[in-house]
Each structure stands twice: as structure tokens, then as C-alpha cells.
Amino acid sequence: MGLFSSKKDTRVTVGARYRSADTNLITWEVASIFNGIDGTPYAHIFCVQDQSRRKTVAQSSLESGVQYIRLPNRGA
């Protein structure tokens, strides 16, 4: 087994927080997850600093770690 055993869990979950890869100033939190009519898994996210800022992103963009960086769990 060893080759992939150290890979972090990248599954998108409600309550998980991310920051934009290009800035540390904005933190996004997952409000809900769903499958789109095209079969693609999406997440509704909101800005923690201004909850009126909301958007829908493909879960793959959160999982890849390129556009968004997952933050450690708040309880950890």
C-alpha cells in the first residue's frame, strides 16, 4: 500500500474552510455540497469575513489545491 497512504484527505465537507491561493486575506467556508444537473459535484461557499459574498464552485477546484488551499480544522 505505501505509495498513496500519506495523501491528505481532500474530500470537500460542509464547514471546511479554504483560502484563495493568491491571497491570505479571504477565507471561504463550505455551506453546502451538491451534484449539478450535469453530474458535476459543486460546493456553495461563502466569505467568512463578509457572508453576503457567496459563490458556487466545482468541488474539484477545492480538492486540487491550486485555486484554493484547505485550512486546518478549527478544532484541531
Side-chain angles (χ1 to χ4, degrees), residues 24 32 61 67:
N24 287 330
S32 63
S61 68
Q67 190 175 3

Side-chain angles (χ1 to χ4, degrees), residues 1-7:
M1 208 152 90
L3 184 60
F4 296 104
S5 61
S6 64
K7 184 177 178 182

Side-chain angles (χ1 to χ4, degrees), residues 14-64:
V14 172
R17 289 189 173 191
Y18 297 82
R19 69 171 172 81
S20 298
D22 58 348
T23 179
N24 287 330
L25 301 177
I26 300 174
T27 301
W28 297 96
E29 185 172 317
V30 177
S32 63
I33 53 177
F34 66 98
N35 285 320
I37 59 172
D38 60 355
T40 302
Y42 290 97
H44 285 134
I45 60 176
F46 65 90
C47 177
V48 172
Q49 294 86 353
D50 177 1
Q51 293 186 13
S52 68
R53 295 181 64 189
R54 296 176 171 268
K55 58 183 169 178
T56 301
V57 297
Q59 288 184 38
S60 61
S61 68
L62 296 174
E63 293 167 344
S64 70

